[in-house]
Amino acid sequence: MTSFREIPMIDLSQANSESAKPDLLRSLRYALTEVGFLYVTNHSVPEAVIDGLVNALPALFELGDDIKESVALENSPHFLGYSGVGNEKTGGKTDRREQFEFATELTATWHPGLPLYERLRGPNQWPQGRPELRSTVEAYIKELTGLGERFLDLVAQALSLSPGTFQPFLSDQHRLKLVHYPASSPDDPAISQQGVGPHKDSSGWWTFLLQASPPEVKGLQVLNKAGDWVDVPVVPGTFVVNIGQAFEVVTNSICKATTHRVLSGPHERYSVPFFQGVRRDLTKAEATGTLKSHFGALGISNESDEGHAIDSAFLKGKYDTWGESQLRTKVRSHRENGKKFYPEVYDQYINDDA
């Protein structure tokens, strides 16, 4: 079994050159079908927008507990807000991270009679004491939304499809996490070394990750086809981009959602993943059938046993829509929130392993 040992680097500026674009598309196709993770450089997101967000992170996480609690995720049926260290689980184990989760600013539109998963759409909670944060976050979401749509056109072309093929699958709301991994001592057995456990991204179509710490701060690893963990070091000026589970379904598993994890270490770490949203009403039949004739003849790439075993409700489970499988995932990760806002499905989602 051939397996990658490093993450490919894709220079998006090559898309603007007739002579260089074929090489770009070949490199991108390899990354899509053989790795599932890549760096993008020359991505056209303004440096000032990135720096504005990165510079805001330390002070944001130094806010008092009372301010953090005032925007706690448990206040939000949309799973937006602050989560403290130990409040989230991956693979049934506690993650050692704290985070603020934001999204494209939208009003709540759910009412009785609509599918329960439509409650995922809704407004953000903005912490007091950081009045500039909203404009900083909204500018970043706007830029990453544009990058994501440009990138999807290149992905389509790399897979021998027309530009615009994948945009109809997108949601009206994308999500952004601002994540802080506290430093930990590997010599203390009482402290979990799981920043976030092994998982495939279930919260989006594609993920665009800004590693917002210096290059010497490590932690992110991806699982290759041989079952080995490969480091994803910080490369200034890049985003780390990876496939989400819905995209794997739509491409008939030609493009795998690659398993990854974050290990805690001796240095604190900041990370900013942007999750390109998937239409909540996307059905499994639509996802598997729309491009089946195109991808069906290409064959299915291999995956390690550990990667294949990762929980994947939409791929393997009984839930027919992307929205419900995502709601299940969020309830299982944020259980107090699930009990408060979704009691009618809480026991079902927690106790099933589908």
Side-chain angles (χ1 to χ4, degrees):
M1 178 189 298
T2 59
S3 199
F4 64 90
R5 301 300 310 173
E6 61 183 14
I7 307 304
M9 181 78 68
I10 305 296
D11 181 353
L12 295 185
S13 69
Q14 291 182 311
N16 302 320
S17 166
E18 270 190 43
S19 60
K21 189 173 181 179
D23 288 337
L24 164 65
L25 296 180
R26 279 191 291 270
S27 297
L28 182 54
R29 185 183 180 98
Y30 167 79
L32 295 170
T33 59
E34 299 299 325
V35 182
F37 260 76
L38 57 135
Y39 294 99
V40 295
T41 187
N42 293 319
H43 42 66
S44 299
V45 176
E47 188 173 343
V49 172
I50 296 173
D51 290 346
L53 189 62
V54 171
N55 293 337
L57 295 175
L60 176 63
F61 285 100
E62 289 171 1
L63 289 172
D65 290 343
D66 56 335
I67 296 177
K68 290 177 177 177
E69 290 171 7
S70 73
V71 294
L73 186 140
E74 284 75 17
N75 300 333
S76 169
H78 324 300
F79 295 86
L80 298 171
Y82 173 78
S83 298
V85 175
N87 282 6
E88 188 168 4
K89 295 178 182 289
T90 302
K93 297 181 181 179
T94 299
D95 295 332
R96 184 171 165 74
R97 59 174 169 169
E98 59 175 332
Q99 61 191 22
F100 289 87
E101 185 161 355
F102 300 101
T104 311
E105 186 68 40
L106 296 174
T107 58
T109 56
W110 181 83
H111 57 79
L114 290 179
L116 198 59
Y117 60 73
E118 287 296 335
R119 289 192 81 184
L120 292 172
R121 173 194 158 121
N124 292 294
Q125 300 188 83
W126 300 102
Q128 294 181 354
R130 299 289 295 170
E132 76 287 354
L133 180 67
R134 178 167 182 168
S135 60
T136 300
V137 166
E138 289 184 340
Y140 189 87
I141 288 176
K142 179 181 178 180
E143 290 292 341
L144 268 290
T145 298
L147 171 62
E149 293 180 0
R150 296 192 301 273
F151 181 75
L152 281 186
D153 282 342
L154 293 174
V155 168
Q157 293 171 76
L159 296 171
S160 303
L161 293 164
S162 301
T165 296
F166 294 121
Q167 275 79 347
F169 295 98
L170 294 181
S171 172
D172 54 355
Q173 191 166 47
H174 309 297
R175 290 183 173 245
L176 179 73
K177 289 185 179 182
L178 311 182
V179 187
H180 175 230
Y181 298 92
S184 65
S185 170
D187 300 325
D188 188 345
I191 297 179
S192 170
Q193 300 304 306
Q194 175 170 296
V196 57
H199 67 286
K200 299 176 181 181
D201 282 351
S202 60
S203 297
W205 191 232
W206 279 81
T207 302
F208 296 78
L209 173 69
L210 174 64
Q211 299 199 81
S213 291
E216 63 268 20
V217 179
K218 299 180 180 180
L220 179 61
Q221 296 181 325
V222 302
L223 191 66
N224 69 15
K225 295 178 182 180
D228 299 322
W229 290 102
V230 177
D231 287 330
V232 186
V234 175
V235 179
T238 68
F239 292 106
V240 179
V241 185
N242 65 278
I243 294 168
Q245 289 183 343
F247 194 81
E248 178 175 340
V249 175
V250 167
T251 61
N252 198 44
S253 295
I254 295 300
C255 302
K256 292 286 190 187
T258 303
T259 300
H260 51 289
R261 68 182 182 185
V262 175
L263 300 180
S264 296
H267 304 288
E268 67 177 347
R269 179 175 180 269
Y270 294 102
S271 179
V272 183
F274 171 86
F275 301 99
Q276 193 178 43
V278 180
R279 269 180 30 230
R280 294 177 294 278
D281 63 352
L282 179 69
T283 65
K284 195 175 297 185
E286 184 182 359
T288 57
T290 300
L291 298 171
K292 183 176 182 179
S293 61
H294 179 78
F295 288 110
L298 299 183
I300 297 177
S301 60
N302 293 318
E303 185 176 23
S304 70
D305 290 340
E306 183 176 352
H308 186 70
I310 294 295
D311 177 37
S312 175
F314 192 58
L315 290 172
K316 305 171 185 176
K318 59 190 177 185
Y319 303 104
D320 187 53
T321 61
W322 173 259
E324 185 166 14
S325 68
Q326 182 169 299
L327 179 59
R328 170 190 178 270
T329 296
K330 290 188 176 299
V331 166
R332 287 169 68 94
S333 292
H334 300 281
R335 300 193 177 194
E336 289 304 315
N337 186 283
K339 289 177 187 176
K340 182 175 182 179
F341 292 106
Y342 299 96
E344 61 267 61
V345 294
Y346 177 80
D347 288 339
Q348 173 189 338
Y349 288 168
I350 294 302
N351 295 322
D352 78 37
D353 290 317

